[in-house]
Structure formats: C-alpha cells, structure tokens
C-alpha cells in the first residue's frame, strides 16, 4: 500500500519527534519511531521513559495497518533526501519503504499508553496562545539539578500559566475554567512542534498516587506525569500597588533598542553582569542604563512625578527575560522590594540586586575618661574637641539600697551634688576625602545619537561605493594587461613563423 505524504509536513514533525528519541537507550524501542494507520489518519509516535508525543496526519488509506517500529535516524534521513515535494510511504506486511528504500525495523514495542478513565477526569480548554505563552515562560523555568524539581516545570491553574526559578517569576493569566493546579514538566518536545495559534485541551486524571495529563494542541498530543510536589504560592511575592509605587515606561521601539544594548554588554565570567537603572537630573526624560563594566546607554521614557533620584540594579539576564516577554513598564516601591514588569503577556516579578552603601570613614580619638568626686574647674578645650558632661547611672545594687531613702530626700536638694562629673573628650569629625568638583558629564540625547548613527551609515555607504569603483578599475586594468600579454604572444609567434619561413627559403 502506497501513501502519498507531503514532505514538508512530515519533515517538520520529525524535528519535534526527535526531541524524545533516546538514541543511546538500552531499550531499542526508545530509539525508534512508531507508525500506525487507522481511520484515514497516520500516527507517528515517539517516547522516552516518562513522556510520549504523537503527531497525526490525514491520509487516504486503503486499509488500516498496525503499529510498526522503524529506526528514527534512518527514517529522518530518508525523508530529508527525498527530492520531491510529495514522498511515497509504502507499508507492506509490517515493512516500511520510503521512495523504495526499506527502513530498518526495531525490535520490541512501546508500552501501552495509559487509558483515560471514564470518570474523575478534569478537562480544561486551552486558548490559541497556549504555545506562545509556554515559549515565553520557558527561559524562566529552572533547569538546574540542585533545586526543587517542581520549579523546572510550568504550573497551570485557574490563574493561568506560571513559571519561577527562585530569582524571577512570570505569570500569564488566562481565563481557564480549572479547579486546583497541575505542574507539567518542561515542554521541550511540545515547544518544537511550532503549533502556534492552535487551541487545545488539557486532560488530567489520578492513578494511584500519580497525576497523569494529556495536552492536545492541533495535530499534536503530549502525555506525561505531572510533578507530585505542590507549586509555591507565587502570589505572596507580588508587591501591592500603593501610593508609593513608582513606575517608568517606554515605547516598544525603545524596548528593541534596550534589547540590542543588553546583547552588546559582555558577560563577566567572574561575577554576574548587572545593569543600573536611574534617571539623571540633566536628562529627566531619559532612562539611564549603566552596566557593571561601564557601558552607558539611555532611552526615552516616561517617569511618574514622584520618581526623584530613585535608582536600582538588576541582573542582565533578568532584564532580558522581562523584555523578551514584551513588557514595557516597570513598577517598584523601593530598592528592597520586588519590581513588576507589565505591558506584555501577564506580569513579570523579580528582585533587584541589593547594593550595600559604603559607610563614611571618620577618624575618632578618645582620651581616658577622668572621674572626679567634686566639680572641676573649667579648663580650656583644644580645637576639634568638645567636653560633654555625662551622668553615669548608679549600679543596680546601689539603686536597691537607695530606694528606701528616695521619699525622705528633700526636693530642694541638688540631686547631682554627690554624683561624679565625667569629662569626655570627643574628636571632631575630619574630612577624609576631597569633594568631587568635576562637572557632571551630560549624555547626548537620543536624537543626537540617532543622527550620529545615520551619519556613520552614510559614511560607510560612501566608502563602500568608492571601494566598489576601485575594485572595478583594478579589474579593468587587469583585463587590459592580459589583453596586451595576448597580443604580445601572438606577435611573437607570428615573427617566429616569418623567421622560420625566411630561413627555410
């Protein structure tokens, strides 16, 4: 039985199916791809120990055929080497041929997939932007091995899709009619399907102590086990909007310039690369950016009226994630609380980098404390010192003995008559550094930078045209030189023939 299949559809599906193929697995079945024909549909499946993915493709089948395992790599190469837009897939007695080339069979078979029960099943309809949301959340999910495993997945609940890694958090709200939540593993194979704009369905059910799920998007079905561990209550870290909340926003074209700036900032292998965000008094309509290695940049932005001299520091990769999700507004209460990115899909929450302020260094000198039983005469105090009378509180034991005599003491008595007077000499603070008298360097405006870039592009274009003219002249000179060489050789051969003919005569 020959089945015509569009090459591009099958080749695109194989790139996603290959994400789950275990090429080094000891179980041979996990190195292959399963092909099955049923009810005018072709099914292509692969799986590993914990996941299975299936691709459905409509085909005009003469009859159904059972599932057959073939080697994945050979199947992929046969499809890629096909020269036609439509390839011929042939099934004959359990053997598979592509354009007449027989594919090597694989011993064994896939485990029987879990059957969805008839009851106690939760079905949630997924919107068309599901894969786009998963793609934006993928960089946030933690892929480290030394962290909580549940943070490596993506949580799906009535509040939408959520990913976190302990340093940053992103939530994309969707109006899902779902009670409770489920945390799916990192959807590597599902992201490779490129099923953007396809609505889907999430089905979950319990078996023993495990939660199983089936996620369907268009022609793709992905099955796996959900994580058992509960997902953290991420709403607790989202700061509340108050009157003290400051915000800065910028247009999408400025956000693209922001991204290009971040890509140009080199990474430091010794420490994390950070970006300081601030507002300079000289250019109040610009967001000033300064990397930890000294690269400066600024973009046009709008600040709230109470922003003042607020500045905070953020890690470079966190800012990149914020911009990649399409956010163009940053809200922050203070530098010790999380900031929130909005304007794109959902909201992005992360902590700024805490920068310890340097303590002012002052030189202090203290002379020994002099205690006298009677008042002392005033003595001249040298410059930069000050005499401060301080009363020493009585010892706790003496305080107990004097409690009984408190009421009999006359009010007119001087209570400090018998108390010692302490003269403490304190050094006056001295200036340990010179004030910065250099004028503040005013950064050029964004319009000046853009005009400078355009002028530089024009100069490059002129140099390129002049280089092309010089190259053309060099080629013309080389052609003329070769033409002269040919004429010289031709003249020389003619003279040789004349000389030979004259000598022979």
């Amino acid at each position: 039985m020959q089945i015509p299949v569009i090459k591009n559809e099958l080749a695109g599906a194989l790139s996603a199916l290959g994400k789950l193929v275990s090429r080094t697995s000891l179980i041979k079945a996990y190195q292959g791809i399963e092909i099955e024909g049923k009810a005018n549909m072709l099914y292509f499946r692969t799986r590993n120990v914990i996941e299975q993915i299936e691709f459905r493709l409509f085909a005009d089948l003469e009859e159904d055929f059972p599932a057959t395992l073939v080697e994945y790599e050979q199947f992929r190469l046969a499809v890629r080497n096909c020269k036609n837009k439509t390839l011929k897939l042939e099934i004959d007695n359990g053997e598979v041929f592509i354009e007449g080339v027989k594919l090597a069979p694989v011993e064994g078979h896939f485990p029987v997939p879990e059957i969805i029960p008839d009851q106690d099943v939760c079905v949630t309809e997924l919107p068309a932007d599901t894969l786009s949301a998963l793609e934006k959340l993928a960089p946030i999910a933690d892929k480290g091995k030394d962290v909580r495993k549940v943070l490596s997945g993506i949580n799906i609940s009535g509040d939408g899709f959520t990913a976190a890694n302990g340093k940053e958090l992103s939530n994309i709200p969707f109006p899902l009619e779902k009670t409770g939540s489920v945390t799916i593993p990192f959807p590597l194979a599902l992201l490779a399907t490129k099923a953007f704009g396809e609505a889907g369905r999430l089905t979950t059910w319990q078996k023993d102590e495990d939660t199983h799920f089936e996620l369907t998007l268009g022609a793709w079905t992905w099955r796996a086990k959900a994580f058992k561990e509960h997902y953290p209550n991420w709403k607790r870290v989202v700061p509340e909007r108050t009157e003290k909340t400051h915000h800065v926003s910028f247009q999408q074209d400025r956000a693209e310039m922001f991204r290009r700036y971040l890509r140009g900032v080199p990474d430091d292998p010794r420490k994390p690369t950070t970006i300081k965000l601030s507002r300079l008094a000289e250019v109040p309509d610009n967001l000033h950016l300064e990397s930890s290695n000294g690269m400066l940049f600024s973009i046009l932005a709008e600040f709230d009226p109470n922003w003042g001299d607020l500045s905070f520091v953020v890690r470079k990769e966190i800012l990149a994630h914020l911009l990649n999700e399409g956010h163009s507004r940053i809200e922050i209460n203070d530098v010790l609380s999380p900031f929130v990115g909005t304007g794109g899909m959902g909201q992005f929450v992360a902590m700024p980098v805490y920068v310890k302020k340097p303590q002012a260094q002052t030189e202090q000198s203290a002379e020994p404390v002099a205690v006298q039983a009677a008042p002392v005469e005033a003595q001249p105090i040298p410059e930069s010192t000050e005499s401060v009378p301080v009363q020493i509180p009585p010892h706790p034991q003496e305080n107990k003995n004097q409690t009984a005599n408190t009421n009999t003491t006359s009010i007119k008595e001087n209570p400090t008559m018998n108390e010692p007077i302490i003269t403490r000499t304190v050094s006056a603070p001295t200036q340990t550094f010179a004030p910065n008298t250099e004028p503040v360097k005013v950064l050029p405006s964004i319009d000046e930078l853009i005009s400078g870039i355009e002028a530089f592009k024009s100069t490059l274009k002129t140099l390129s045209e002049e280089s092309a003219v010089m190259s053309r002249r060099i080629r013309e000179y080389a052609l003329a030189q070769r033409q002269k060489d040919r004429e010289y050789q031709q003249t020389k051969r003619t003279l040789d023939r004349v000389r030979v003919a004259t000598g022979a005569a």
Side-chain angles (χ1 to χ4, degrees), residues 36 173 238 294 313 315 341 385:
E36 183 180 6
V238 180
V313 180
R315 296 181 64 166
T385 61

Side-chain angles (χ1 to χ4, degrees), residues 31-93:
Q31 300 182 16
I33 181 171
E34 187 178 67
I35 307 173
E36 183 180 6
K38 183 169 54 178
N40 287 333
M41 295 291 290
L42 283 175
Y43 295 87
F44 301 89
R45 307 185 187 96
T46 58
R47 67 167 300 150
N48 55 23
V49 179
I50 59 175
E51 299 176 60
Q52 173 182 311
I53 192 167
E54 176 185 85
F55 175 69
R56 299 178 300 278
L57 184 63
F58 176 79
D60 188 10
L61 301 180
E62 299 176 0
E63 58 182 5
D64 297 346
F65 59 88
T68 303
L69 268 174
V70 295
E71 187 177 335
Y72 170 80
E73 286 296 334
Q74 189 178 7
F75 185 82
R76 182 181 65 85
L77 291 175
V79 172
R80 189 181 67 177
N81 293 334
C82 179
K83 304 299 182 182
N84 302 322
K85 295 183 179 179
T86 302
L87 58 85
K88 295 180 180 179
L89 176 65
E90 185 177 355
I91 309 295
D92 187 12
N93 295 328

Side-chain angles (χ1 to χ4, degrees), residues 302-317:
E302 296 181 2
F303 297 83
D304 72 289
N306 300 323
W307 183 276
D309 58 351
L310 175 66
S311 64
F312 57 100
V313 180
V314 185
R315 296 181 64 166
K316 171 188 169 183
E317 62 271 15

Side-chain angles (χ1 to χ4, degrees), residues 113-178:
E114 294 289 339
I115 299 176
I116 301 178
D118 299 330
Q119 56 184 359
D120 297 333
V121 177
C122 179
V123 179
T124 305
E125 298 297 328
L126 300 177
D129 293 333
T130 295
L131 194 62
S132 298
L134 293 178
E135 186 181 47
K136 292 184 179 298
L137 294 176
I140 311 298
D142 201 328
K143 305 170 187 63
K145 298 181 180 179
D146 300 330
V147 297
R148 296 172 60 184
K149 188 177 181 181
V150 70
L151 294 181
S152 64
I154 295 177
N155 183 260
I156 302 177
S157 65
D159 298 315
F161 297 170
T162 308
N165 57 20
K167 300 176 184 176
E168 49 191 331
L169 180 145
S170 181
N171 170 256
I172 300 178
F174 282 125
L176 303 180
E177 297 180 359
K178 180 174 178 55

Side-chain angles (χ1 to χ4, degrees), residues 222-282:
W222 178 46
R223 283 190 173 193
K225 287 183 182 180
F227 290 127
K228 294 182 180 180
E229 188 176 357
H230 292 290
Y231 204 76
N233 184 8
W234 57 271
K235 294 182 179 180
R236 297 175 58 184
V237 304
V238 180
E240 297 182 358
R241 273 69 164 180
T242 63
E243 295 180 355
K244 297 182 180 179
T245 301
H246 305 288
H247 68 267
V248 56
S249 58
F250 38 85
Q251 300 296 329
Q252 287 297 332
D253 57 341
R254 308 298 174 182
E256 181 60 31
M257 298 173 63
F258 199 163
R259 276 192 288 268
R260 290 200 297 267
Y261 162 72
L262 291 179
R263 287 196 291 267
V265 175
D267 294 325
D268 191 344
R270 298 170 296 178
K271 60 180 180 179
T273 304
T274 59
I275 308 294
K276 181 181 178 182
L277 291 80
S278 60
R279 179 188 188 185
L280 296 181
E282 294 78 11

